[in-house]
């Protein structure tokens, strides 16, 4: 069961993606105003993309054996989201409210936590004896 940490990270990522998509769909008008009158279609498209991504995450997490290439790709996508969010927040800092910037960076932090957990799970799968030998010291 060396893949439990990775599966847990992927599932957490899926749950958070679903949560974010439901928030985007439920509060599209409010979020549109928060993000400087961003077109609602963009938020709805993002929500749909997140739902598709969550489905893919769950599919990868429930395969046995887990597809480590897919899990690595997902982890890299998550780090890309984090970096893109930081760049977005920095470049739009004078155009968005503090609440909008905090929302962008808060989501990025949670995505980063998922990516970190997935990365630790991938390392554990790559070298299952490492955690045992370190804990026995």
């Amino acid at each position: 069961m060396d893949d439990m940490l990775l599966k847990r990270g992927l599932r957490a990522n899926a749950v958070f993606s679903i949560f974010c998509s439901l928030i985007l769909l439920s509060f599209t008008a409010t979020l549109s105003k928060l993000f400087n009158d961003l077109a609602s279609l963009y938020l709805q498209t993002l929500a749909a993309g997140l739902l598709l991504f969550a489905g893919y995450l769950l599919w990868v997490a429930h395969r046995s054996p887990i597809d480590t290439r897919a899990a690595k790709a997902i982890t890299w996508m998550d780090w890309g989201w984090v970096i893109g969010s930081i760049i977005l927040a920095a470049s739009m800092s004078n155009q968005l409210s503090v609440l909008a910037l905090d929302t962008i960076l808060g989501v990025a932090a949670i995505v980063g936590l998922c990516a970190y957990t997935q990365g630790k799970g991938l390392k554990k799968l790559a070298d299952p004896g490492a955690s045992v030998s370190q804990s026995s010291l």
Side-chain angles (χ1 to χ4, degrees):
M1 293 294 236
D2 286 331
D3 62 355
M4 283 309 294
L5 182 61
L6 177 56
K7 287 184 176 199
R8 200 171 288 144
L10 291 168
R11 287 184 195 129
N13 196 342
V15 168
F16 186 63
S17 295
I18 292 167
F19 172 77
C20 287
S21 65
L22 293 175
I23 295 295
L24 286 167
L25 292 172
S26 299
F27 301 102
T28 303
T30 302
L31 291 169
S32 176
K33 289 177 187 168
L34 177 67
F35 288 98
N36 211 12
D37 290 323
L38 183 66
S40 296
L41 181 61
Y42 293 136
L43 297 173
Q44 293 164 345
T45 302
L46 177 58
L50 285 171
L51 286 173
L52 290 172
F53 183 62
Y56 181 63
L57 289 165
L58 292 172
W59 181 73
V60 171
H62 288 93
R63 292 187 59 178
S64 188
I66 196 161
D67 183 350
T68 56
R69 289 181 64 184
K72 286 177 188 176
I74 290 165
T75 303
W76 280 108
M77 284 186 264
D78 287 338
W79 285 122
W81 181 281
V82 172
I83 292 166
S85 295
I86 293 168
I87 292 169
L88 177 67
S91 66
M92 300 290 289
S93 63
N94 60 347
Q95 298 171 10
L96 294 175
S97 69
V98 172
L99 180 58
L101 294 170
D102 287 348
T103 300
I104 292 168
L105 295 175
V107 168
I110 295 170
V111 171
L113 181 61
C114 291
Y116 176 78
T117 303
Q118 292 159 194
K120 294 287 273 187
L122 283 163
K123 283 184 182 177
K124 189 175 179 183
L125 273 178
D127 191 9
S131 61
V132 173
S133 63
Q134 289 174 357
S135 64
S136 63
L137 293 177

